[in-house]
């Protein structure tokens, strides 16, 4: 039997973090631990969502003595408006990311720098959108598809296209409830209009608009981001890689790419592998270049190149604190503004590349897709030049790292299912073997574990405990974002993790030759999970809210997560949260997010800040769905 011991525990991860934190204190560097301590006793108005500054008569804060703002808005109106604004910011982030990628698709040409890598996917999407494909140059098709994709943002009439990918019963629900999104920008603008002073004060109207906006994200911006990224850089395939801080190397030039946009990180990875750069490194007596990923950028390049993953969200400072990073290049989202200052404690160059994420103290190199290769090569050369300034007395790289098998988009899941029963029925494929396994009880269900880590709770602990308990209970886990990286760095994404599973799930892992935690990508790729759930419901012949498949974000922190959670419940699936959304100052809003949405679409939030209880809730929820189906 394989050595099942070799998991990295959260305690071991914490020991490395503590050691790096102590070094930070010695160097007088500022880290999230100190800042979180200084921010303790969070503002109760902020936590409850009951502070409003939507006009200059305020800010108004709701208390028992002052139950209304100056305009008369009560706690429910204020909390609902703030919540809808969070959804807007989340929707905007992933969607604007997708917009940039569509522009890159529009610029593709055979000689590069960006080309079409997955022609089949492009043709499929072109057909779906009625773009002519016969006797046409692939780049002409790509450019027209890009234009159609860009229409999804601001079309003046009509409605969004991707929601019609959902099974008919779900489409009917969106129609019945009037939440089928029209266009991404339109839903965001409508939401901001509704929340302007003197407009909506009705939590129900604001929640419904939140669902519609979130759907423009999940079945819009996010899905566009995923599809177009696959077309540009290839649909991910299975790779063996490694994760955690131990992937940094003592004797190599270490470059960390961090953020979300693969347009930038792909260029850095390609540049670092080019002959010109390798020769340059050799001329400087440097053994090699070690590009590693952090946060969701890590997920993107691990799934397409096997590039190793140095860590998740709360490890961004740790990577710099090793003293072994020559350059950290960032693009967009989840980047601490604290990083440039921290980098100055070492020789590390900190480079921002996007006008969307400008940070004081950083070197700013505005990345332009048309000059991507030259810019990326220049940056890698700068990192090489910086190697000689590394102060070895300041270097400490934790040894801890784990192997992981990554890269399971829906196409790969189908392929692995096909290997069991050869049930491939059409171009999309079939999930019937998975449905049969769930019906038979070999698998009890599946949980999508997603999201960030968060100092409000013990970082990474909830992910680890919840995943391990689910596996023991024969529940398959699919993961994205920083949750996926927790599974990577602890070893739960190795195929050997099957020895942590119940007998049924272990059998499934053996038959399909997969790990029990399937890596589906970055946070933008939760759209893949929507299509997975949709495919299961389709092949089962039941509604999405009936399948024993749920979402869980135990340690979420971002506005993107609020929007994601809303598109998941709008798709009929329950979402289990380990951090409470900031609306608890309104009893009506608490009722809306836990029960109200369920009456509309079948999905709602279950909130429990105790991970042991939360996983119990998940298992109970899955068993209840099974019971309702009579299985
Ligand atoms: Fe106060 Fe109303 Fe203005 Fe908000 S919109 S700040 S509640 S007066
Ligand atoms: S990077 S949104 S911390 S998952 Fe996508 Fe991680 Fe959460 Fe950012």
């Amino acid at each position: 039997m394989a050595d099942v011991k070799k998991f990295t525990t959260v305690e071991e991860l914490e020991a490395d973090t503590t050691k790096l934190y102590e070094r930070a204190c010695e160097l007088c560097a500022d880290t999230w631990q100190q800042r979180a301590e200084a921010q303790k006793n969070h503002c109760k108005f902020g936590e409850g969502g009951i502070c409003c500054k939507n006009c200059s008569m305020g800010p108004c804060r709701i208390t028992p003595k002052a139950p209304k703002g100056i305009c008369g808005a009560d706690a429910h109106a204020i909390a609902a408006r703030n919540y809808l604004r969070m959804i807007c910011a989340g929707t905007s982030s992933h969607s604007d990311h997708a917009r940039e990628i569509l522009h890159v698709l529009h610029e593709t040409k055979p000689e590069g720098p960006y080309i079409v890598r997955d022609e089949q996917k492009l043709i499929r999407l072109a057909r779906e959108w009625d773009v002519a494909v016969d006797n046409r140059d692939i780049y002409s098709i790509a450019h027209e598809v890009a234009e159609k994709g860009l229409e999804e943002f601001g079309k003046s009439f009509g409605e969004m296209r991707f929601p019609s990918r959902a099974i008919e019963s779900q489409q009917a629900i969106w129609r019945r409830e009037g939440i089928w999104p029209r266009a991404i920008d339109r839903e965001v603008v409508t939401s901001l209009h509704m929340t302007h002073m003197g407009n909506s004060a009705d939590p129900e109207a604001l929640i419904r608009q939140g669902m519609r906006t979130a759907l423009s994200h999940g079945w819009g911006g996010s899905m566009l981001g995923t599809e177009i990224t696959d077309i540009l850089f290839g649909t991910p395939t299975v790779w063996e890689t490694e994760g955690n801080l131990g992937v940094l190397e003592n004797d190599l030039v270490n470059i960390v790419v961090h953020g979300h946009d693969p347009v930038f990180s792909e260029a850095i990875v390609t540049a670092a592998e080019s002959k010109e750069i390798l020769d340059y490194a050799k001329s400087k007596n440097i053994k090699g270049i070690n590009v590693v990923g952090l946060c969701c950028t890590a997920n993107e390049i691990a799934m397409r190149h096997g590039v190793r993953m140095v860590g998740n969200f709360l490890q961004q400072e740790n990577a710099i604190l090793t003293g072994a990073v020559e350059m950290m290049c960032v693009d967009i989202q989840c980047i601490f503004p604290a990083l440039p200052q921290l980098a100055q404690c070492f020789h590390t160059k900190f480079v921002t590349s996007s006008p969307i994420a400008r940070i004081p103290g950083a070197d700013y190199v505005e990345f332009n897709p048309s000059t991507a290769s030259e810019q990326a090569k220049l940056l890698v050369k700068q990192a090489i030049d910086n190697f000689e300034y590394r102060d070895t007395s300041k270097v400490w790289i934790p040894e801890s790292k784990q192997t992981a098998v990554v890269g399971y988009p829906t196409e790969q899941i189908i392929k692995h299912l096909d290997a069991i029963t050869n049930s491939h029925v059409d171009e999309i494929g079939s999930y019937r073997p998975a449905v049969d396994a769930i019906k038979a009880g070999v698998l009890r269900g599946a949980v999508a574990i997603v999201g960030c880590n968060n100092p409000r709770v013990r970082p990474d602990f909830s992910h680890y405990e919840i995943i391990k308990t689910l596996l023991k209970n024969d529940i398959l886990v699919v993961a994205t974002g920083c949750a996926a990286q927790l599974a990577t760095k602890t070893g739960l994404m190795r195929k050997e993790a099957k020895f942590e599973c119940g007998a049924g799930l272990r059998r499934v892992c053996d038959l399909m030759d997969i790990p029990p935690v399937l890596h589906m990508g970055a946070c933008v790729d939760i759209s893949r999970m929507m299509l997975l759930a949709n495919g299961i419901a389709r092949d089962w012949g039941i509604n999405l809210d009936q399948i024993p498949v749920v979402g869980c974000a135990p340690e979420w922190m971002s506005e993107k997560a609020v929007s994601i959670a809303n598109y998941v419940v709008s798709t009929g699936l329950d979402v289990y949260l380990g951090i409470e959304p900031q609306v608890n100052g309104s009893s009506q809003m608490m009722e809306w997010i836990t029960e109200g949405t369920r009456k509309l679409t079948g999905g709602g939030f279950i909130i429990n800040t105790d991970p042991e209880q939360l996983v119990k809730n998940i298992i109970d929820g899955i068993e209840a769905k099974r019971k309702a189906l009579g299985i």
Side-chain angles (χ1 to χ4, degrees):
M1 187 167 133
D3 182 4
V4 293
K5 191 262 137 202
K6 293 286 177 217
F7 289 96
T8 303
T9 62
V10 173
E11 288 71 19
E12 285 166 327
L13 295 175
E14 286 171 339
D16 287 343
T17 297
T18 304
K19 203 159 162 192
L20 288 165
Y21 170 66
E22 285 164 2
R23 288 160 49 80
C25 296
E26 281 163 28
L27 291 163
C28 301
D30 191 33
T31 64
W32 65 261
Q33 291 92 333
Q34 290 148 292
R35 297 189 299 269
E37 185 61 30
Q39 288 290 343
K40 247 183 168 173
N41 304 322
H42 292 275
C43 163
K44 294 290 167 220
F45 299 102
E47 271 183 345
I50 47 171
C51 172
C52 178
K53 56 180 179 56
N54 291 9
C55 86
S56 75
M57 291 191 283
C60 298
R61 303 182 309 177
I62 299 303
T63 66
K65 277 195 185 151
K68 286 183 180 168
I70 294 167
C71 65
D74 62 12
H76 314 301
I78 292 173
R81 294 193 308 210
N82 288 338
Y83 186 69
L84 179 51
R85 285 187 169 210
M86 289 185 89
I87 294 174
C88 283
T91 297
S92 303
S93 299
H94 273 162
S95 303
D96 209 34
H97 162 169
R99 188 192 331 248
E100 292 302 318
I101 289 177
L102 279 157
H103 280 292
V104 175
L105 182 67
H106 200 252
E107 296 297 309
T108 48
K109 45 186 186 296
E111 63 275 22
Y114 294 102
I115 60 169
V116 170
R117 286 220 157 77
D118 191 336
E119 293 190 7
Q120 270 188 351
K121 198 165 224 179
L122 172 65
I123 302 270
R124 258 204 314 276
L125 187 55
R127 289 210 169 104
E128 184 178 338
W129 286 354
D130 296 325
V131 171
V133 293
D134 295 336
N135 305 318
R136 246 184 119 180
D137 172 64
I138 198 77
Y139 285 91
S140 156
I141 300 171
H143 300 162
E144 193 176 336
V145 164
E147 283 163 20
K148 291 258 183 207
L150 286 164
E151 283 173 9
E152 294 300 286
F153 287 80
K155 60 176 80 163
S156 305
F157 301 100
E159 56 193 14
M160 294 188 69
R161 293 187 173 95
F162 277 153
S164 42
R165 285 181 164 188
I167 53 172
E168 274 173 22
S169 56
Q170 193 61 36
Q171 292 186 38
I173 289 171
W174 293 334
R175 293 249 175 261
R176 185 190 70 207
E177 300 303 333
I179 55 173
W180 190 299
R182 295 158 294 181
I184 301 163
D185 293 353
R186 179 160 186 195
E187 297 312 344
V188 170
V189 171
T190 296
S191 301
L192 291 174
H193 187 185
M194 284 176 77
T195 58
H196 186 275
M197 189 272 155
N199 285 327
S200 286
D202 173 11
E204 175 169 354
L206 292 158
I207 277 280
R208 282 177 179 272
Q209 177 58 20
M211 295 172 89
R212 195 178 207 185
T213 307
L215 284 171
S216 80
H217 171 192
W219 292 81
S222 235
M223 209 167 273
L224 282 166
T226 298
E227 294 275 326
I228 306 302
T229 300
D230 286 355
I231 290 169
L232 278 172
F233 303 115
T235 300
T237 50
V238 177
W239 292 83
E240 183 154 320
T241 186
E242 290 181 327
N244 206 9
L245 292 162
V247 303
L248 293 170
E249 301 288 352
N250 266 310
D251 54 353
L252 302 181
V253 170
N254 291 307
I255 301 177
V256 178
V257 283
H258 169 21
H260 285 76
D261 184 352
V263 173
F264 180 59
S265 47
E266 285 270 341
I268 299 283
V269 171
T270 309
E273 288 168 352
S274 70
K275 183 170 177 325
E276 179 190 334
I277 292 295
L278 293 173
D279 287 347
Y280 185 75
K282 220 188 250 169
S283 74
K284 299 240 163 186
N285 278 329
I286 281 168
K287 282 192 191 164
I289 305 151
N290 181 35
V291 179
V292 295
L294 200 138
C295 269
C296 278
T297 284
N299 295 315
E300 297 275 8
I301 51 180
M303 296 205 303
R304 294 193 178 88
H305 302 279
V307 169
R308 300 184 298 169
M309 303 188 263
V310 71
N312 57 8
F313 179 63
L314 285 179
Q315 282 177 298
Q316 53 188 295
E317 289 175 327
N318 285 4
I320 292 178
L321 284 166
T322 62
V325 174
E326 273 57 57
M327 183 178 278
M328 182 179 274
C329 307
V330 304
D331 47 78
I332 49 165
Q333 300 167 19
C334 301
I335 300 149
F336 279 177
L339 294 181
Q341 226 183 333
L342 186 62
Q344 279 163 21
C345 300
F346 301 90
H347 71 305
T348 307
K349 276 186 178 296
F350 184 80
V351 181
T352 52
S353 63
S354 166
I356 298 294
R358 296 293 307 266
I359 305 175
D363 292 347
Y364 179 54
V365 178
E366 188 164 322
F367 192 66
N368 181 341
S370 63
T371 50
S373 313
E374 295 75 33
Q375 284 185 300
K377 280 183 190 161
L378 204 67
L379 286 172
V380 178
K381 277 186 183 169
Q382 284 175 7
I384 292 170
D385 294 342
N386 199 21
F387 186 65
E388 64 176 297
Y389 299 107
R390 189 191 286 183
D391 178 350
T392 49
S393 70
K394 282 188 185 171
V395 172
W396 180 69
I397 303 176
E399 278 175 16
S400 172
K401 62 180 175 186
Q402 285 279 2
T403 55
V405 182
V406 301
Y408 291 93
T410 51
E411 291 84 346
Q412 284 298 325
I413 295 175
I414 295 268
K415 197 170 149 197
H416 282 75
L417 287 169
D418 269 358
I420 312 177
T421 60
N422 226 354
S423 60
H424 202 97
V425 288
D426 55 26
E427 212 178 9
I428 305 167
S430 167
Y431 295 100
R432 272 177 216 152
V435 171
D436 291 343
I438 297 174
K439 279 185 186 168
V442 180
L443 270 187
R444 307 303 293 175
V447 179
I449 307 268
V450 302
C452 329
N453 46 14
N454 189 329
R456 288 183 81 95
V457 293
R458 189 176 163 191
D460 287 334
F461 179 75
S462 304
H463 286 135
Y464 189 64
E465 290 301 310
I466 290 171
I467 293 175
K468 281 185 78 161
T469 308
L470 293 174
L471 300 186
K472 281 195 174 31
N473 284 276
D474 290 323
I475 295 169
L476 180 81
V477 172
V478 291
T480 58
C482 291
Q485 291 195 46
L486 175 276
T488 304
K489 64 191 181 182
T490 51
L492 288 166
M493 236 175 226
R494 294 172 300 153
K495 289 185 184 166
E496 290 77 15
K498 68 183 179 187
F499 296 112
E500 279 292 298
C501 303
L505 177 54
R506 193 199 292 193
R507 218 168 103 214
V508 171
C509 291
D510 279 334
L511 281 169
M512 287 179 69
D513 190 28
I514 53 168
V517 181
L518 295 178
H519 184 286
M520 291 194 84
C523 49
V524 78
D525 292 324
I526 296 172
S527 60
R528 298 189 200 275
M529 294 169 161
M530 295 302 91
L531 293 178
L532 173 65
N534 190 62
I536 290 173
R538 178 198 66 205
D539 291 343
W540 198 323
I542 56 178
N543 299 335
L544 269 148
D545 65 349
Q546 291 178 286
I547 57 173
V549 174
V550 300
C552 175
E555 305 182 26
W556 69 275
M557 63 86 202
S558 70
E559 289 166 317
K560 284 181 289 180
V562 178
S563 181
I564 291 166
N566 272 280
Y567 75 63
V568 177
V569 300
S570 303
T571 305
L573 306 172
D574 282 330
V575 176
Y576 293 75
L577 299 175
I579 308 264
E580 197 169 62
Q582 291 162 338
V583 295
N584 71 15
S586 157
S587 56
Q588 286 184 22
M589 277 302 289
M590 287 305 287
E591 174 72 16
W592 265 109
I593 61 173
T594 53
E595 292 306 325
T597 59
R598 193 169 283 114
K599 288 178 195 139
L600 305 182
T601 62
F605 294 163
I606 295 92
I607 305 163
N608 204 319
T609 52
D610 176 351
E612 217 175 292
Q613 287 305 315
L614 188 64
V615 71
K616 252 179 121 270
N617 297 151
I618 295 173
I619 295 168
D620 290 348
I622 283 182
E623 291 303 327
K625 294 217 181 239
R626 293 185 62 91
K627 197 169 168 206
L629 286 165
I631 55 173

mmCIF file of all heavy atoms in Angstrom, residues 244-250 254-256 290 292 308 310 318-320 322 324-325 397-398:
data_model
loop_
_atom_site.group_PDB
_atom_site.id
_atom_site.type_symbol
_atom_site.label_atom_id
_atom_site.label_comp_id
_atom_site.label_asym_id
_atom_site.label_seq_id
_atom_site.Cartn_x
_atom_site.Cartn_y
_atom_site.Cartn_z
ATOM 1 N N ASN A 244 3.229 24.372 -2.933
ATOM 2 C CA ASN A 244 3.646 24.940 -1.659
ATOM 3 C C ASN A 244 5.010 25.616 -1.788
ATOM 4 O O ASN A 244 5.696 25.474 -2.797
ATOM 5 C CB ASN A 244 3.651 23.928 -0.517
ATOM 6 C CG ASN A 244 3.445 24.630 0.832
ATOM 7 O OD1 ASN A 244 3.140 25.831 0.889
ATOM 8 N ND2 ASN A 244 3.624 23.916 1.915
ATOM 9 N N LEU A 245 5.388 26.331 -0.714
ATOM 10 C CA LEU A 245 6.565 27.210 -0.796
ATOM 11 C C LEU A 245 7.849 26.476 -1.169
ATOM 12 O O LEU A 245 8.781 27.071 -1.709
ATOM 13 C CB LEU A 245 6.745 27.925 0.547
ATOM 14 C CG LEU A 245 5.631 28.940 0.870
ATOM 15 C CD1 LEU A 245 5.612 29.268 2.352
ATOM 16 C CD2 LEU A 245 5.804 30.210 0.045
ATOM 17 N N GLY A 246 7.870 25.177 -0.906
ATOM 18 C CA GLY A 246 9.049 24.378 -1.229
ATOM 19 C C GLY A 246 9.343 24.286 -2.718
ATOM 20 O O GLY A 246 10.383 23.752 -3.113
ATOM 21 N N VAL A 247 8.469 24.810 -3.558
ATOM 22 C CA VAL A 247 8.757 24.783 -5.004
ATOM 23 C C VAL A 247 9.719 25.910 -5.400
ATOM 24 O O VAL A 247 10.207 25.934 -6.527
ATOM 25 C CB VAL A 247 7.476 24.854 -5.880
ATOM 26 C CG1 VAL A 247 6.524 23.725 -5.545
ATOM 27 C CG2 VAL A 247 6.790 26.208 -5.760
ATOM 28 N N LEU A 248 9.980 26.842 -4.475
ATOM 29 C CA LEU A 248 11.021 27.843 -4.760
ATOM 30 C C LEU A 248 12.372 27.142 -4.655
ATOM 31 O O LEU A 248 12.541 26.224 -3.851
ATOM 32 C CB LEU A 248 10.929 29.004 -3.761
ATOM 33 C CG LEU A 248 9.659 29.855 -3.882
ATOM 34 C CD1 LEU A 248 9.531 30.805 -2.708
ATOM 35 C CD2 LEU A 248 9.646 30.636 -5.202
ATOM 36 N N GLU A 249 13.332 27.568 -5.462
ATOM 37 C CA GLU A 249 14.610 26.859 -5.523
ATOM 38 C C GLU A 249 15.753 27.763 -5.078
ATOM 39 O O GLU A 249 15.817 28.928 -5.457
ATOM 40 C CB GLU A 249 14.881 26.382 -6.958
ATOM 41 C CG GLU A 249 13.829 25.448 -7.526
ATOM 42 C CD GLU A 249 13.852 24.041 -6.918
ATOM 43 O OE1 GLU A 249 14.795 23.725 -6.155
ATOM 44 O OE2 GLU A 249 12.910 23.278 -7.201
ATOM 45 N N ASN A 250 16.660 27.153 -4.298
ATOM 46 C CA ASN A 250 17.817 27.891 -3.804
ATOM 47 C C ASN A 250 18.773 28.323 -4.900
ATOM 48 O O ASN A 250 19.383 29.380 -4.813
ATOM 49 C CB ASN A 250 18.581 27.021 -2.797
ATOM 50 C CG ASN A 250 18.122 27.329 -1.381
ATOM 51 O OD1 ASN A 250 18.068 28.502 -0.985
ATOM 52 N ND2 ASN A 250 17.767 26.298 -0.626
ATOM 53 N N ASN A 254 14.101 32.628 -9.247
ATOM 54 C CA ASN A 254 12.682 32.380 -8.946
ATOM 55 C C ASN A 254 11.829 33.570 -9.391
ATOM 56 O O ASN A 254 12.060 34.705 -8.961
ATOM 57 C CB ASN A 254 12.494 32.160 -7.452
ATOM 58 C CG ASN A 254 13.112 30.858 -6.983
ATOM 59 O OD1 ASN A 254 12.837 29.792 -7.533
ATOM 60 N ND2 ASN A 254 13.968 30.928 -5.964
ATOM 61 N N ILE A 255 10.871 33.287 -10.238
ATOM 62 C CA ILE A 255 9.912 34.326 -10.659
ATOM 63 C C ILE A 255 8.520 33.856 -10.242
ATOM 64 O O ILE A 255 8.112 32.747 -10.598
ATOM 65 C CB ILE A 255 9.940 34.547 -12.185
ATOM 66 C CG1 ILE A 255 11.347 34.952 -12.633
ATOM 67 C CG2 ILE A 255 8.903 35.580 -12.612
ATOM 68 C CD1 ILE A 255 11.498 35.124 -14.143
ATOM 69 N N VAL A 256 7.823 34.691 -9.476
ATOM 70 C CA VAL A 256 6.457 34.345 -9.060
ATOM 71 C C VAL A 256 5.479 35.159 -9.898
ATOM 72 O O VAL A 256 5.590 36.388 -9.958
ATOM 73 C CB VAL A 256 6.233 34.651 -7.558
ATOM 74 C CG1 VAL A 256 4.790 34.337 -7.158
ATOM 75 C CG2 VAL A 256 7.206 33.869 -6.685
ATOM 76 N N ASN A 290 13.049 29.418 -12.642
ATOM 77 C CA ASN A 290 11.961 28.691 -12.009
ATOM 78 C C ASN A 290 10.745 29.617 -11.911
ATOM 79 O O ASN A 290 10.644 30.434 -11.000
ATOM 80 C CB ASN A 290 12.423 28.254 -10.607
ATOM 81 C CG ASN A 290 11.369 27.457 -9.857
ATOM 82 O OD1 ASN A 290 10.619 26.678 -10.456
ATOM 83 N ND2 ASN A 290 11.306 27.643 -8.543
ATOM 84 N N VAL A 292 6.996 30.128 -11.014
ATOM 85 C CA VAL A 292 5.958 29.461 -10.218
ATOM 86 C C VAL A 292 4.755 30.391 -10.105
ATOM 87 O O VAL A 292 4.892 31.604 -10.251
ATOM 88 C CB VAL A 292 6.479 29.079 -8.802
ATOM 89 C CG1 VAL A 292 7.585 28.049 -8.900
ATOM 90 C CG2 VAL A 292 6.950 30.300 -8.042
ATOM 91 N N ARG A 308 4.531 24.840 -11.428
ATOM 92 C CA ARG A 308 4.292 24.555 -10.005
ATOM 93 C C ARG A 308 3.651 25.752 -9.284
ATOM 94 O O ARG A 308 3.808 26.894 -9.701
ATOM 95 C CB ARG A 308 5.604 24.152 -9.355
ATOM 96 C CG ARG A 308 6.178 22.896 -10.029
ATOM 97 C CD ARG A 308 7.420 22.404 -9.350
ATOM 98 N NE ARG A 308 8.490 23.365 -9.401
ATOM 99 C CZ ARG A 308 9.616 23.254 -8.700
ATOM 100 N NH1 ARG A 308 9.790 22.225 -7.888
ATOM 101 N NH2 ARG A 308 10.560 24.163 -8.796
ATOM 102 N N VAL A 310 3.189 27.990 -5.928
ATOM 103 C CA VAL A 310 3.899 28.325 -4.686
ATOM 104 C C VAL A 310 2.950 28.542 -3.505
ATOM 105 O O VAL A 310 3.351 28.411 -2.351
ATOM 106 C CB VAL A 310 4.835 29.536 -4.931
ATOM 107 C CG1 VAL A 310 4.051 30.815 -5.111
ATOM 108 C CG2 VAL A 310 5.847 29.681 -3.826
ATOM 109 N N ASN A 318 4.335 35.390 2.210
ATOM 110 C CA ASN A 318 5.300 34.343 2.558
ATOM 111 C C ASN A 318 6.300 34.113 1.433
ATOM 112 O O ASN A 318 7.483 33.887 1.685
ATOM 113 C CB ASN A 318 4.575 33.020 2.838
ATOM 114 C CG ASN A 318 3.869 33.027 4.183
ATOM 115 O OD1 ASN A 318 3.876 34.052 4.866
ATOM 116 N ND2 ASN A 318 3.258 31.924 4.550
ATOM 117 N N ALA A 319 5.806 34.140 0.199
ATOM 118 C CA ALA A 319 6.704 33.873 -0.932
ATOM 119 C C ALA A 319 7.836 34.895 -0.934
ATOM 120 O O ALA A 319 9.010 34.534 -1.065
ATOM 121 C CB ALA A 319 5.916 33.921 -2.239
ATOM 122 N N ILE A 320 7.496 36.160 -0.727
ATOM 123 C CA ILE A 320 8.542 37.198 -0.719
ATOM 124 C C ILE A 320 9.444 37.034 0.504
ATOM 125 O O ILE A 320 10.664 37.202 0.438
ATOM 126 C CB ILE A 320 7.895 38.603 -0.767
ATOM 127 C CG1 ILE A 320 7.232 38.806 -2.137
ATOM 128 C CG2 ILE A 320 8.929 39.694 -0.506
ATOM 129 C CD1 ILE A 320 6.509 40.121 -2.310
ATOM 130 N N THR A 322 10.575 34.526 1.864
ATOM 131 C CA THR A 322 11.640 33.513 1.761
ATOM 132 C C THR A 322 12.962 34.177 1.369
ATOM 133 O O THR A 322 14.026 33.580 1.531
ATOM 134 C CB THR A 322 11.316 32.454 0.685
ATOM 135 O OG1 THR A 322 11.222 33.106 -0.594
ATOM 136 C CG2 THR A 322 10.024 31.716 0.981
ATOM 137 N N ALA A 324 13.984 34.571 -1.492
ATOM 138 C CA ALA A 324 14.535 33.863 -2.652
ATOM 139 C C ALA A 324 13.821 34.200 -3.953
ATOM 140 O O ALA A 324 14.008 33.516 -4.947
ATOM 141 C CB ALA A 324 14.443 32.356 -2.399
ATOM 142 N N VAL A 325 13.006 35.256 -3.921
ATOM 143 C CA VAL A 325 12.242 35.584 -5.136
ATOM 144 C C VAL A 325 12.912 36.766 -5.845
ATOM 145 O O VAL A 325 13.042 37.854 -5.277
ATOM 146 C CB VAL A 325 10.772 35.913 -4.773
ATOM 147 C CG1 VAL A 325 9.999 36.393 -6.000
ATOM 148 C CG2 VAL A 325 10.093 34.690 -4.175
ATOM 149 N N ILE A 397 13.895 28.968 2.563
ATOM 150 C CA ILE A 397 12.778 28.379 1.810
ATOM 151 C C ILE A 397 12.278 27.162 2.583
ATOM 152 O O ILE A 397 13.043 26.213 2.792
ATOM 153 C CB ILE A 397 13.232 27.935 0.397
ATOM 154 C CG1 ILE A 397 13.840 29.117 -0.380
ATOM 155 C CG2 ILE A 397 12.069 27.330 -0.373
ATOM 156 C CD1 ILE A 397 14.410 28.752 -1.743
ATOM 157 N N PRO A 398 11.033 27.179 3.030
ATOM 158 C CA PRO A 398 10.514 25.982 3.706
ATOM 159 C C PRO A 398 10.615 24.770 2.780
ATOM 160 O O PRO A 398 10.473 24.918 1.564
ATOM 161 C CB PRO A 398 9.052 26.328 3.983
ATOM 162 C CG PRO A 398 8.961 27.798 3.878
ATOM 163 C CD PRO A 398 10.018 28.227 2.902
#
